[in-house]
């Protein structure tokens, strides 16, 4: 780094500031004792001083009793862009500008001058228009007889030293690439925040963000491009979060955000969503266009941890779970995630043997012509019947297979099986097979496809490969070649899940697709008031028609959605409104005779998502806690089972575990089942489930005699630390009814295990 010389221009070397400052201080001292005027005895000294002055290593100044400049070295005029003589007569303090960084001492210069006391090496910022110049200024008052005559002093340029000091402190605080806080500073900030907040009983959330597919960009476009991308990511984060000082880059492609006083999971989920959306828009890096995604894990203190280590570890677990459940998602920490991480490891091991053990099979979902209701083909959807866990969703095990390098084998099996079974279907119905981007990147894919077709004797035009936008993340020439090779075989190509990532109509123009599959979430959005999705679907359909492509709307469940899709001229429909996926035998049965025509059937309108479940929770009424079973759940209410004949209007507090309490009112009562409505709506847990936006603070629980950060079985109004129910049951329960001898005291045995780690979001 080049040092600034006193004339304000950059020089090659840094001035030996400490030495020259000492020297000038001494001269100034002498000057204060004796008027700074030529004296015959010090002619040499004067020459020496002039030489120093001209060398630009320091400067001199003097004022009169009113603080007006009477002398100023020429170098200062040069630095400030005007001849020094212009400053004679103006106020000395006007040489210095204001600066946010300025020390209190700079602000106190007028005070020091009025006090007529000496000062040494006061760091002052010059009132320069352009460059930032700093001086260390010293001064001594001088007296003419008894009378105060003014100040004399010296100054040296300390711009270079200040810059070095500032850079050093920046390095200790900021990430040099993105300018965000660095890991060290962030962990200090989190520690101090949490310890202060613990005393003040305030909440603080941590969000960990990890970029999806960043490695691919780095590998294909190179590290400099990766760096440019990270900078853009940082800027987008600042835009969404609004406060640069709350965001840090922990290293690599991991970012962290601290949100003080935010505990509402509705607010946190919205923010995480906005972050994911913003980071998933395409980037332009060095002339190349690239797309990445982001996954977010969230943990909130004091609920999910009280120390910074606990909170970070738990946000990290949530992030890991978010990545595992398909990427591009957020997840809140919940206490069962530790188990989930372990589960995942076990699943990975089990998956290795699943094919050999014939636990994997294909289900087929009809794809139906929207106008004629005739089935035109089927999508093959992979299924895993786990011997202990039952059916496991491909949304869960496909990402595991991708990470564990098992997707190649699994995908190849699916291709072979689907071709083999489709070859035996009557008529010319097509079969669609999902192909993961990992398979798409394999040069051998065309060969694998050809072999599958040949072995089964299936004409190529009856096979459709469904691929997602993920394939466009790979280097574009490889992608183009793969498209060409597959088209050469004669198979059809469909773009799956359109509307979920950053959906660019550009793909449709450049890639040889035969079909676009519009994602379920996009169609659902279209039925919401004020949504623009309908207009976008129209545009997609128009473009598809112009390019001679078909369109399929996925996940249509209700008749109103079907009407909408038909009115937008989407050509094909797939969804429960026609049929759930069925096994191959059922398929053969249903289309044995002739064309399979399906009359759509389903609810008239899509209701707010209602999750079916079978989960034990607590229902608190009059200080008594009943064990009930949660049968279904939506954002606004639930169906509970287990208490008999409860009048409508009765209030319960439903306890979903982990401090999640929902005040509810019974709105329908049917024997042992009650429909309840929540006072406050639930919010998405980022995992297809729901959670309360707020939780009962562990501090409150502790005040009620419960251990901190751990929700035990409990009766929340007790304050004597006793764990026994205070109130007597008002209603009889299903357990009483089924077990009339419940007076033996076994009734409460279930209450011990329904509290604690209840994930209310899981189906
Ligand atoms: P996808 O390709 O978008 O498949 C559609 C998914 O939507 C299927 O979920 C299907 O069962 C579900 N679905 C269809 N109609 C409805 C409806 O009306 N309502 C609702 N709620 N859902 C509906 P599934 O079978 O769980 O598969 C999930 C994803 O797993 C698939 O999404 C696909 O991306 C992936 N997948 C499935 N089989 C394979 C495979 O053999 N290879 C690869 N690489 N991925 C696969
Ligand atoms: Mg698909
Ligand atoms: Mg899809």
């Amino acid at each position: 780094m080049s040092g600034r010389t006193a004339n304000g221009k950059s020089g090659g070397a840094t001035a030996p500031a400490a030495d020259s400052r000492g020297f000038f201080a001494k001269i100034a001292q002498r000057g204060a004792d004796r008027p700074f005027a030529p004296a015959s005895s010090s002619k040499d000294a004067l020459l020496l001083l002039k030489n120093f002055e001209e060398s630009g290593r320091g400067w001199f100044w003097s004022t009169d009793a009113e603080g007006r400049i009477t002398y100023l070295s020429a170098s200062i005029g040069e630095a400030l862009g005007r001849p020094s003589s212009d400053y004679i007569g103006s106020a000395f303090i006007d040489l210095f500008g204001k600066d946010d960084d300025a020390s209190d001492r700079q602000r106190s210069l007028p005070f020091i001058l009025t006090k007529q006391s000496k000062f040494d090496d006061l760091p002052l910022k010059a009132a320069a228009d352009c460059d930032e110049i700093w001086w260390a200024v010293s001064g001594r008052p001088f007296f003419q007889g008894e009378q105060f005559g003014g100040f004399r002093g010296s100054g040296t340029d300390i711009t270079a030293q200040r810059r070095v000091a500032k850079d050093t402190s920046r390095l200790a605080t900021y990430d040099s690439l993105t300018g965000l806080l660095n890991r060290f500073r962030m962990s200090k900030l989190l520690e101090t925040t949490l310890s202060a907040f613990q005393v003040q009983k305030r909440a603080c959330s941590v969000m960990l963000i990890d970029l999806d597919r960043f490695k691919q960009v780095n590998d294909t476009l190179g590290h400099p491009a990766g760096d440019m991308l990270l900078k853009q990511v940082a800027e987008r984060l600042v835009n969404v979060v609004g406060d640069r000082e709350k965001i840090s880059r922990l290293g690599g492609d991991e970012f962290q955000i601290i949100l003080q006083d935010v505990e509402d999971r509705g607010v946190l989920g919205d923010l995480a969503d906005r972050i994911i959306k913003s980071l998933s828009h395409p980037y332009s890096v060095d002339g190349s266009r690239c797309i990445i995604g982001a996954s977010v894990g969230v943990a909130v203190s004091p609920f999910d941890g009280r120390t910074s280590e606990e909170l970070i570890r738990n946000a990290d677990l949530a992030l890991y779970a978010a990545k595992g459940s398909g990427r591009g998602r957020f997840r809140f920490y919940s206490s069962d995630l530790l188990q989930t991480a372990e589960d995942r490891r076990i699943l990975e091991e089990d998956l290795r043997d699943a094919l050999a053990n014939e636990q994997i099979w294909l289900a087929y979902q009809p794809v139906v012509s929207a106008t004629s209701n005739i089935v035109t083909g089927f999508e093959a959807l992979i299924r895993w019947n786990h011997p202990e866990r039952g059916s496991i969703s491909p949304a869960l095990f496909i990402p595991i297979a991708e990470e564990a390098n098992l997707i190649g084998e699994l995908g190849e099996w699916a291709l072979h099986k689907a071709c083999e079974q489709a070859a035996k279907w009557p008529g010319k119905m097509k079969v669609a097979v999902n192909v993961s981007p990992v398979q798409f990147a394999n040069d051998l894919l065309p060969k694998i496809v050809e072999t599958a077709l040949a072995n089964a004797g299936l004409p190529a035009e009856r096979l459709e490969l469904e691929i997602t936008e993920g394939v466009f993340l790979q280097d574009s020439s490889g992608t183009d070649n793969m498209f060409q090779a597959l088209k050469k075989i004669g198979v059809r190509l469909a773009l799956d899940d359109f509307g979920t990532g950053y959906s660019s109509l550009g793909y449709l123009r450049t890639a040889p697709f035969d079909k676009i599959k519009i994602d379920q979430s996009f169609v659902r959005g279209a039925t919401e008031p004020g949504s623009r999705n309908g207009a976008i679907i129209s545009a997609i359909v128009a473009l598809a028609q112009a390019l001679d492509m078909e369109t399929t709307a996925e996940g249509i469940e209700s008749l109103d959605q079907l009407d909408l899709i038909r009115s937008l001229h989407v050509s094909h429909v797939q969804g429960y409104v026609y049929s759930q996926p069925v096994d191959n035998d059922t398929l053969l049965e249903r289309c044995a005779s002739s064309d399979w025509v399906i009359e759509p059937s389903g609810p008239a309108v899509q209701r707010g998502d209602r999750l079916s479940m079978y989960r034990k929770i607590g229902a608190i009424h009059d200080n008594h806690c009943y064990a009930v079973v949660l049968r279904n759940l939506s954002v606004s209410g639930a169906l509970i089972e287990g208490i008999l004949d409860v009048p409508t209007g009765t209030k319960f507090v439903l306890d979903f575990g982990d401090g999640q309490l929902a005040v509810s009112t019974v709105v329908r009562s049917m024997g042992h089942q009650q429909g309840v409505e929540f006072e406050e709506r639930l919010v998405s847990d980022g995992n297809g489930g729901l959670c309360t936006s707020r939780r009962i603070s562990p501090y409150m629980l502790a005040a009620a005699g419960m251990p901190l950060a751990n929700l035990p079985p409990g009766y929340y109004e007790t304050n004597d630390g006793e764990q026994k129910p205070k109130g007597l049951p008002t209603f009889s329960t299903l357990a009483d009814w089924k077990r009339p001898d419940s007076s033996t005291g076994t009734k409460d045995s279930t209450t011990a295990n329904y509290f604690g780690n209840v994930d209310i979001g899981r189906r």
Side-chain angles (χ1 to χ4, degrees):
M1 175 173 302
S2 64
R4 170 177 285 282
T5 54
N7 64 10
K9 297 187 182 104
S10 290
T14 305
D19 292 349
S20 52
R21 260 187 270 159
F23 172 81
F24 285 118
K26 283 194 192 103
I27 298 287
Q29 176 114 46
R30 274 180 52 195
D33 301 339
R34 277 173 282 149
F36 192 11
S40 55
S41 59
S42 57
K43 214 170 176 182
D44 283 350
L46 191 63
L47 266 176
L48 214 57
L49 285 175
K50 271 215 144 337
N51 280 346
F52 259 106
E53 213 180 15
E54 279 163 13
S55 76
R57 304 181 83 184
W59 49 276
F60 300 111
W61 58 279
S62 70
T63 66
D64 61 16
E66 274 75 47
R68 286 186 298 251
I69 296 172
T70 53
Y71 178 83
L72 193 62
S73 293
S75 58
I76 294 310
E78 284 170 31
L80 297 179
R82 276 166 61 190
S84 279
S85 53
D86 279 13
Y87 291 93
I88 304 296
S90 56
F92 179 62
I93 51 169
D94 289 348
L95 287 180
F96 311 104
K98 290 204 168 53
D99 188 86
D100 294 340
D101 285 358
S103 63
D104 287 344
R105 293 175 71 201
Q106 165 147 350
R107 287 186 271 275
S108 64
L109 178 65
F111 177 69
I112 294 172
L113 296 180
T114 340
K115 254 182 55 190
Q116 302 172 7
S117 48
K118 68 171 183 139
F119 56 95
D120 287 313
D121 291 334
L122 190 62
L124 297 171
K125 191 185 168 206
D129 285 339
C130 39
D131 285 356
E132 187 171 315
I133 303 170
W134 282 84
W135 293 307
V137 181
S138 304
R140 298 279 183 281
F142 68 86
F143 296 86
Q144 286 152 340
E146 291 291 290
Q147 196 72 18
F148 169 63
F151 271 92
R152 291 197 188 103
S154 62
T156 48
D157 189 294
I158 52 164
T159 311
Q161 292 96 306
R162 279 201 68 101
R163 253 190 223 153
V164 171
K166 212 168 160 181
D167 285 350
T168 315
S169 88
R170 267 194 81 78
L171 277 180
T173 308
Y174 294 98
D175 168 45
S176 56
L177 179 68
T178 59
L180 299 176
L181 295 182
N182 62 19
R183 177 190 282 272
F184 173 77
R185 180 73 195 113
M186 195 59 157
S187 80
K188 282 268 165 294
L189 179 65
L190 186 62
E191 258 165 42
T192 44
T193 306
L194 288 183
S195 49
F197 278 26
Q198 236 178 67
V199 179
Q200 299 159 7
K201 299 197 175 20
R202 287 161 66 184
C204 176
S205 301
V206 165
M207 257 185 204
L208 285 181
I209 301 158
D210 191 277
L211 305 181
D212 299 333
R213 299 178 297 257
F214 174 73
K215 193 177 168 299
Q216 280 159 320
V217 174
N218 231 4
D219 290 349
T220 49
L221 299 179
H223 286 262
D227 284 356
M228 282 162 78
L229 183 65
L230 289 173
K231 281 190 196 170
Q232 293 184 37
V233 166
E235 284 320 307
R236 290 188 191 183
L237 281 176
V238 173
N239 275 341
V240 178
V241 178
D243 186 349
R244 180 176 283 274
E245 296 295 314
K246 298 282 184 297
I247 313 170
S248 83
R249 184 169 78 109
L250 300 179
D253 60 348
E254 246 192 66
F255 295 81
Q256 182 186 325
I257 300 173
I258 292 185
L259 298 153
Q260 294 169 339
D261 294 312
V262 187
E263 62 179 275
D264 186 317
R265 288 187 287 183
V267 173
L268 288 165
D270 281 349
L271 180 65
D273 241 354
R274 279 188 286 129
I275 287 174
I276 292 166
K277 287 213 173 79
S278 162
L279 298 187
S280 307
H281 278 254
Y283 298 77
S284 166
V285 174
D286 227 4
S288 297
R289 185 171 179 279
C290 54
I291 306 172
I292 53 168
S295 304
V296 178
V298 189
V300 187
S301 171
F303 309 92
D304 306 326
R306 282 165 297 133
T307 64
S308 66
E309 295 90 73
E310 271 171 6
L311 206 58
I312 296 286
R313 188 201 61 204
N314 291 343
D316 208 36
L317 269 172
L319 174 64
Y320 186 74
K323 281 194 161 290
S325 54
R327 293 161 204 267
R329 304 190 184 189
F330 69 86
R331 258 317 266 282
F332 294 120
Y333 169 77
S334 77
S335 48
D336 65 335
L337 283 184
L338 268 172
Q339 187 56 41
T340 310
E342 174 61 8
D343 278 359
R344 208 180 137 87
R345 199 189 54 74
I346 297 171
L347 276 192
E348 185 184 317
E349 269 173 25
D350 292 350
L351 190 56
R352 291 183 193 277
D353 305 323
L355 265 182
N357 295 340
E358 297 186 358
Q359 293 161 8
I360 306 274
W361 58 283
L362 292 178
Y364 296 98
Q365 188 176 33
V367 180
V368 183
S369 156
T371 44
S372 66
N373 293 342
I374 294 175
V375 176
T376 60
F378 296 87
E379 176 176 5
L381 294 160
I382 203 159
R383 295 288 176 262
W384 180 11
N385 277 347
H386 191 281
E388 284 137 40
R389 293 158 192 246
S391 173
I392 296 178
S393 161
L396 181 70
F397 72 84
I398 292 287
I400 296 180
E402 283 175 339
E403 239 170 62
N405 254 337
L406 292 169
I407 191 67
E409 195 188 343
L410 215 52
E412 193 170 342
W413 176 88
L415 263 170
H416 277 266
K417 195 73 183 173
C419 290
E420 184 191 304
Q421 294 186 319
K424 300 191 181 112
W425 295 342
K428 292 203 164 71
M429 279 185 302
K430 298 184 191 84
V431 63
V433 180
N434 291 283
V435 174
S436 139
V438 180
Q439 289 171 269
F440 199 80
N442 178 2
D443 292 340
L444 294 176
L445 181 64
K447 192 93 217 112
I448 293 170
V449 172
E450 271 179 326
T451 316
L453 289 169
N455 284 358
L458 186 77
E461 66 274 11
R462 282 184 57 197
L463 175 64
E464 190 165 78
L465 301 181
E466 294 196 2
I467 52 188
T468 56
E469 287 166 346
V471 301
F472 295 103
L473 299 167
Q474 284 134 22
D475 103 275
S476 60
S477 66
T479 313
D480 288 347
N481 292 342
M482 182 58 78
F483 277 130
Q484 297 317 323
L486 293 172
K487 284 287 9 160
K488 224 167 122 196
I489 300 173
V491 293
R492 290 165 51 91
L493 297 175
L495 178 58
D496 202 357
D497 300 346
F498 193 82
T500 46
Y502 180 79
S503 307
S504 162
L505 295 178
Y507 301 144
L508 305 180
R509 259 184 253 115
T510 51
F513 289 115
D514 302 281
K515 174 183 268 189
I516 306 161
K517 300 191 75 177
I518 304 162
D519 191 69
Q520 172 178 23
S521 58
F522 207 68
V523 178
R524 285 202 178 170
T527 54
E528 282 163 20
S531 166
R532 290 165 54 215
N533 290 13
I536 298 172
I537 293 174
S538 261
I540 296 168
V541 171
L543 184 65
Q545 282 171 348
L547 296 169
D548 210 15
M549 295 176 190
E550 289 176 356
T551 40
T552 297
E554 295 187 88
I556 304 297
E557 290 184 356
S558 59
L559 295 168
D560 67 326
Q561 286 174 349
L562 184 62
D563 284 346
L564 176 82
I565 281 311
R566 283 176 168 162
S567 74
L568 295 170
H569 306 295
V570 175
S571 63
H572 292 76
V573 173
Q574 204 183 323
Y576 299 166
V577 79
Y578 282 110
S579 169
Q580 301 238 356
V582 296
D583 60 27
N584 193 48
D585 289 345
T586 313
L587 181 158
L588 287 171
E589 237 170 67
R590 299 215 180 140
C591 49
S593 49
S594 57
D595 278 347
W596 184 9
V597 177
I598 311 178
E599 277 312 311
S601 73
V605 201
Q606 180 75 38
R607 281 202 305 168
D609 272 353
R610 207 161 262 272
L611 308 174
S612 313
M613 54 187 71
Y614 188 90
R615 197 163 280 277
K616 286 175 180 172
I617 60 163
I620 303 162
H621 175 77
D622 262 356
N623 270 352
H624 184 83
C625 191
Y626 298 86
V628 296
V629 174
L630 186 64
R631 295 311 305 264
N632 72 38
L633 185 69
S634 75
V635 287
S636 55
L639 184 69
I640 56 170
E641 191 175 277
I643 320 176
L644 293 168
D645 303 323
V646 181
T648 52
T650 306
K651 282 207 184 284
F652 280 103
V653 175
L654 293 193
D655 183 343
F656 298 115
D658 282 352
Q660 304 186 86
L661 302 186
V663 179
S664 341
T665 310
V666 175
V667 288
R668 276 175 303 127
S669 189
M670 306 139 287
H672 68 291
Q673 286 192 328
Q674 287 79 39
V676 302
E677 209 169 74
F678 302 137
E679 210 157 78
E680 198 176 337
R681 287 165 77 85
L682 302 185
V683 296
S684 162
D685 71 349
N687 189 33
L690 297 165
C691 59
T692 58
S693 63
R694 278 172 295 185
R695 285 172 282 178
I696 300 298
S697 152
Y699 297 120
M700 278 174 71
L701 296 176
M706 318 225 173
L708 201 64
N710 178 21
L711 190 73
Y715 302 91
Y716 300 98
E717 287 159 40
T718 60
N719 51 14
D720 53 5
E722 284 187 51
Q723 302 284 313
K724 63 179 171 52
K726 271 187 156 181
L728 290 169
T730 311
F731 308 107
S732 47
T733 66
L734 207 54
D736 297 328
W737 180 67
K738 282 187 180 154
R739 211 175 339 111
D741 63 339
S742 64
S743 55
T744 51
T746 51
K747 194 178 74 182
D748 259 355
S749 60
T750 48
T751 54
N753 56 31
Y754 63 68
F755 287 100
N757 306 336
V758 181
D759 174 2
I760 62 166
R762 297 275 214 69
R763 282 166 220 233

